[in-house]
Amino acid sequence: MTSPSVVSNDKPDTSIKHVLYSEILSVTSAMRKNSRWASSTLYMSAKDTSTLGSNLGLRISSPATTVRLSERGGKEAELMANFQDLKRTIKDISDFDSVDLPVILDPFFAILRSPLSTGPITSAVLSALHSFFHCGLINPNARLLDHALAELSSAVSHCKFETSDSSSDEVVLLKILTVIEDCLCGNVGAGLGDVEVCEMLETVLTTCCQMRLSELLRRSAEITMHSLARTAFAKLHILDPEAEEAKLVVNDEVVEGEIKMTVSAQDIPAKAESMDHNVERLETENDTASKQERLSDQGEPPQSKDDGINKTQPLSTTSFAHRPAYGLPSILELLRVLINVLDPNDQQHTDSTRLVALGILNTAFEESGTVVACFPSLKALLVDSGCKFLFQLARSENMSILQATLRTISTIFVTTRKHLKLQQELFLAFTIDRLVTPFPSSNVKGSKKGQYTSPRPGTPATPNSEDGRSDPEKIHTNFHTSSKVHVPPARGEIRDLILETLGQIADQPSFMVDLYSNYDCDVNCENLFEKLIDFLTHSVQDSNATIPDLQQRNTKILCLDMLLSFIQDMATRAEGAFPSPASLLQAKSQKQIILTGANVFNNKPKNGLAFLEENGIIYNDLSEDVSKTKSLALFLKGCTRLNKRLLGDYISKPDNIELLRAYIGLFDFQNKAIADAMRELLEAFRLPGEAQQIARITETFASIYFASGPAEIKSEDAVYVLSYSVIMLNTDLHNPQIRKRMTIEDYQKNLRGVNDGTDFSPEFLQNIYDSIRKREIVMPEEHTGQLGFEYAWKELLARSRNAGDFMICNAQAFDKQIFKFVWKAVISAIAHAFITFDDDYIIQKAITGFKQCATLAGRFHLPDVFDYVVVSLSQATGLLSDSLPSTVPNYPVVNVEDQSITVSNLSVDFGTNFKGQLAAVVLFIIVNGNGNALREGWTQIFEMFQNLFLHSLLPKRMLQMEDFLGGFTAIPLRGSQPPRPQHRNDGGLLSTLSSYLMTPYNTSSETLIPEATEADIENTLCTIDCLASCRLEELYRQITQLDVEAMVASIRALEALAHERTVAKLKMQPDENATGTDSRDYQLPYDPASVFLLETMVSISCHAPQYIEELWPIVFEHLSALLSTPTQYSVLLIERAVVNLLRLCRLLAQKSSLRDQIYISFDLLAGLPAIVSNSVGEQVASGVSLIVQQHRDIIRSQTEWNVVFAMIRTSMSHPEAARLSFELMTVLTAEGSQLVSLDNIPGLVTILDDFAAAAGIATEKHQQRGRRVEPLTSAKHYTLPLLMALSRQSTSAAREVRHAAIGHLQRILLGPGLLLDENDQSQVGDVFNRVVFPLLDELLNPQTYQRDPFGIPETRLRSCALLCKVFMQLQVKEQVGASFSVLWIQIVDLLDRLMNADRTDQLYEAVPESLKNVILVMSATGILVPPPADGDKDDREDSQRTLWSATYERIERFLPGFLEDIIPLHSQSTSAPS
């Protein structure tokens, strides 16, 4: 079926005349093909003949033989003669608009009215009328158009013809539909009256509902009806409601029944009968009626063809003198009929008829639902019968009816819900009740939060469940007299359909807050908001065994989507409703960044874009619809600060072709002439000068412009050539250096044959030429004067379209209350969806939901919400552990790209947990910058920190502990092993060597490190990358800058975790052991996590001295708990507790109100047991000394001085502490210090006396042992530190420093000035273990080698020689101690490593030579003795046999046969005596 088109009467009259002649010929030809009509064409009317004779002055007598035609034949001849007369009439017409249109169309209407017409003849007439609409004969300017349209409506609506076969007859009906659509939807439709519109709508609707017609015809009629309804209801937008309502009053009083959709019938009284009655008769018509009768009179019941047809006369022309155009009366009649058809209680209408009515009704409200309520008559129909019948149909089990009903309901609510408050309450309550999980009948009356019994029923209850219908009157009565009636739950596809409809209705930004304000805040309405949120959250989390898994999943997704949309809308309102100075400052900061980035771009575009990306200005709007390229294009087009020349040059580079396409794609070229499109494009950037760049721009423009469907242009190549022609024409017409301008003829000649082989029309090219000639395309940076102003104004308008509205601070009053009510359930649902769903879309939506909930928590100042978000996300990360071990296992450490990486169980597991990584990133993104909103959630944050610390996954800064004086050292993950008891040397050398050989690298089985696979390393790298994205170190810095409330909460969380791992564990441990021993003798093993928590707690406190008054009680409680039983914790933990307590005391000294807390702390330290005081004496002395010297005014009484002196006295047994304490005493008693007073003189004298006594006791002990007092220049205090310093410098990257250091080291170790105590074997061991061995280990390190690849080999060579010489100097010569063999094997190991470090090195030859010299010396001195020859007696000592075996076995590994070559096996007799 041809769709109507609006055609203006711009065709020449010759064309219309040709069409008219052709259609007359078509109709008469069809008439002649019928045998009954063929003979009729030979006769002329007698009236015509007499008239002609009279006109000529002749006397005409009746012929003797008159051919009398039958009545039927006369009618046929008359119909044929009408066309002959019409041909004569139009022969001399030049202007058809000057002729009465009914005169031209009457012959065609007569055929339609005649019962003598056949199907082909009627079809030809209808085709002719269709052609008249399209050729412009029937146009708004035609004379007596309204008369013609009235007759057309009557003729088409009462069309009669003799039936033949059903297919041909239905073709005629299809053409009737086409002509009706042409008439009502075309450009003459506005001239129709209400009566004609009703007749046409009646005809089409009757065809839609006639089930005896074919499916194709009914569907075509339905499509036509939708188009007619859309056209009719669209007129509501331009009608005046008051004037139209007045028409209804006039019609009721004066011409009642004229605009009714009526059908005349012989067997019913002659009165107006509305169309819905006609539809009813069509559905209940006698089934025995013949098919011919059913099709013979479209729109009327069967009747005799002899009666009634002749009574149908053309409408009187006098009745149209003051007829208004159609409006509200006909629209109201259509709406009334459609609504009446929907009545489910009317058994005369079938579901098929209702489906048709629902579709038409939905179309009508889609078109004009927003203005329907402006007309009281339409609104009255809708709010009463319309909603009532629709809600009843919403209970249908017929899926087609239910789907169409729900669609119509959703359309009505979306467009007119402002006027349907209670109707919407009823429907939503009914919908939710059908969707909730069914409860047992015994629990229906139970009350539940969000679902308690309300004074109004939430659903249209069904009193009688058998008939499937509800009684509206009983429902209305139940509103105030009964509790809610249980509604059968929806299942299967019906449940999904209802849920999707609910989501469609809820898809409005203010839907939830509207529910809350209109219903939950109204005492007479249900709590729909609570009810809906309760349903949505439970649907996301709960599972129902009675519902299939796939359907449950779909339900969860739909419900989650509604929840997240609710949160998103609230977050959007919060952003607009609460502007703050912080947001304005942020906008200002962002503007500054953009200006800086634009400046960098204008110097070097690539650097500018990198700067903008780094600062988050571009690529921050990426989504499924916005790619990275499009995001950049949006910025480049919207930023006015960029240099237009550089912009054009940048986007036209070969590497940026996709960017160029995205950039030009942002322009709207729809319905724009190519000259205007090129002007808009070329004013955005300066065209580059390179031809290839211009070609790329032009090609891209041609592709995008042609896609917009420009008129007359046939190909993309044509656009390309036109684009170049516009550029050249602009240059030619406006360049002052060109004297001979291009003419229009030249321009047309240049473009000949360009349009896909054809020429452009002269008008098309003339328009381009005139546009360029009148308005020059001015490139950017060339705008001056008036042109500059025009361009600037155009830019301003373009930017204003994207700038948004002027911000009005209209705060949303209910959002905070709503969010406070639902946040816990909503966040739980989001967390459940995030954990259980694997769909990327759901995960992304859940992540967005978490962020928005956190945003709302911050804006509404709801820390509980923020905590709940953090707790929910932290549980999904997998970084929390139920129990953390006190002892950290030995994890493998690998080197990846010069970075040491610890491969632990956590790093591997977390690296494979993609969802956990997402949760971690989102969590720390939320917490970063929002720490002030967090309270209880700090516990989870620091638990994750603790777990990451134990697996070496935290940033390096967070793995360190700060020394009292400001240094940083790493927190050890494993404590030092307790000293093992020394065994007697009863077989000492043998046992030592055996132990060494079993563990050649000086390790035990307890410290074996597992191997790390490639997969483990890759997963660990994924973990490290994820944690880098979490910005943990940035969060740690932000914690130190929190507000006081958040800071106190974070310190409390740390203290609770630390207490759990120390004090609480200590209390539980003796009970678990149940050994019967004194619990005070039990000591907790070293726990690195407890040290980490303590260091973090104190570090945060020290970085916030302004809050020390609030933080001190929390931290001191933990420190005092540790120091009250110091022997039951590890030494390092107590040492750190002492240091951190003194660090805090320095802060306390700055607060006069906390001065007494310093002495409480000092008193606590002074009371430490002696064994603990000895281990922490140096730290105590340093801290006290620093505090007293920096804050001398804090000590004001003798009691306070006595506390200080007591602390000093406890540290006197420690040498370094004693030295520091004595220095403090020196400062206090120095001349001019003015610190000596009556309060401290007794204490000073006493403490100095104690120092003197301690010195005397120490001297006496040395003398009793027969030893001299160790001078200050002994090895312990002077030589060893010097040697260690030279050893470290011997690995310097500076070659000169390295050579000088190793030279000095050699002279000291091999010279006579080495001060070593020959009775102290440990000093010789220190030379090797702390000087020589570390030197060689560092030189063998690959990183050290890379510092100076050309110089390090020489240093290795010198160090190798030094090793051997020192060994021979200090050990071989003296054979000092039982540890000789162990030391010797270590030296052989080092020589092996040196030799194999680089086989091309000189060391490969030098090491065997040095080893040979050492072995010869050892052999000569009888230390290394080979076994005797076979058969000879072995006279060697056990130590010699063991040493030989160990040496032989170790050297054979890297120098096979070497030892036998130097010391033959039979040379025992020649060896020197031992």
Side-chain angles (χ1 to χ4, degrees), residues 27-28 31 37 40-41 72-86 106-117 121:
V27 174
T28 55
M31 295 171 69
W37 291 77
S40 302
T41 59
R72 177 182 291 273
K75 293 177 180 179
E76 293 167 347
E78 182 180 353
L79 292 173
M80 182 68 75
N82 289 339
F83 286 103
Q84 300 299 330
D85 293 342
L86 178 61
D106 275 346
F108 298 92
F109 295 158
I111 295 292
L112 295 179
R113 296 190 187 98
S114 173
L116 305 177
S117 177
I121 297 174

Side-chain angles (χ1 to χ4, degrees), residues 149-195:
L149 293 179
E151 293 190 22
L152 173 63
S153 171
S154 176
V156 172
S157 300
H158 301 85
C159 177
K160 305 175 187 298
F161 60 92
E162 294 181 357
T163 61
S164 56
D165 63 284
S166 61
S167 299
S168 300
D169 294 341
E170 290 195 355
V171 170
V172 177
L173 300 179
L174 277 173
K175 291 190 176 182
I176 291 176
L177 300 178
T178 302
V179 172
I180 290 177
E181 188 173 7
D182 289 336
C183 184
L184 185 58
C185 300
N187 58 349
V188 298
L192 289 170
D194 288 304
V195 175

Side-chain angles (χ1 to χ4, degrees), residues 54-72:
S54 300
N55 292 336
L56 294 176
L58 300 177
R59 179 181 178 86
I60 304 299
S61 62
S62 298
T65 305
T66 302
V67 181
R68 288 189 57 83
L69 300 176
S70 64
E71 182 180 358
R72 177 182 291 273

Side-chain angles (χ1 to χ4, degrees), residues 4 35 88 193 339 353 647 855 879 891 952 1020 1186 1260 1315 1388 1431:
S35 59
R88 298 190 191 102
I339 289 177
T353 306
L647 175 60
T855 301
L879 295 177
Y891 295 119
S952 303
T1020 300
L1186 193 61
E1260 183 178 358
L1315 298 175
V1388 175

Side-chain angles (χ1 to χ4, degrees), residues 437-447 484-487 489:
T437 304
F439 296 98
S441 57
S442 60
N443 295 333
V444 170
K445 297 181 181 180
S447 176
K484 184 176 65 176
V485 180
H486 175 61
V487 179

Side-chain angles (χ1 to χ4, degrees), residues 499-655:
L499 186 59
E500 289 179 1
T501 302
L502 179 61
Q504 186 176 355
I505 295 174
D507 189 22
Q508 301 177 60
S510 62
F511 178 76
M512 292 292 186
V513 71
D514 289 342
L515 291 186
Y516 183 83
S517 57
N518 287 283
Y519 302 117
D520 290 53
C521 297
D522 190 336
V523 69
N524 295 316
C525 296
E526 284 200 68
N527 291 331
L528 281 185
F529 171 76
E530 295 181 17
K531 193 172 186 177
L532 180 56
I533 292 295
D534 186 73
F535 160 70
L536 294 177
T537 54
H538 280 84
S539 296
V540 173
Q541 300 179 74
D542 298 344
S543 297
N544 190 344
T546 63
I547 302 177
D549 292 340
L550 185 59
Q551 187 179 356
Q552 284 196 65
R553 176 181 175 83
N554 184 52
T555 298
K556 291 175 182 288
I557 292 176
L558 290 174
C559 293
L560 178 67
D561 201 46
M562 279 189 271
L563 284 174
L564 294 175
S565 297
F566 159 52
I567 294 298
Q568 180 180 355
D569 295 334
M570 192 180 297
T572 302
R573 286 194 297 272
E575 291 174 2
F578 300 101
S580 64
S583 63
L584 297 177
L585 290 175
Q586 182 180 1
K588 175 67 175 177
S589 174
Q590 190 176 45
K591 176 183 177 182
Q592 187 59 43
I593 293 174
I594 293 176
L595 292 178
T596 304
N599 188 38
V600 177
F601 180 93
N602 293 337
N603 291 323
K604 193 170 184 181
K606 186 174 292 186
N607 293 349
L609 295 180
F611 175 84
L612 293 168
E613 180 180 5
E614 180 181 351
N615 288 275
I617 301 300
I618 57 177
Y619 308 140
N620 60 354
D621 56 347
L622 301 182
S623 65
E624 295 181 359
D625 299 328
V626 181
S627 63
K628 196 171 183 180
T629 304
K630 186 176 181 179
S631 175
L632 177 57
L634 286 168
F635 174 79
L636 295 178
K637 186 174 184 293
C639 183
T640 60
R641 305 284 182 169
L642 303 180
N643 184 288
K644 302 300 182 181
R645 179 184 61 80
L646 289 174
L647 175 60
D649 182 73
Y650 181 76
I651 63 175
S652 60
K653 289 183 179 297
D655 297 338

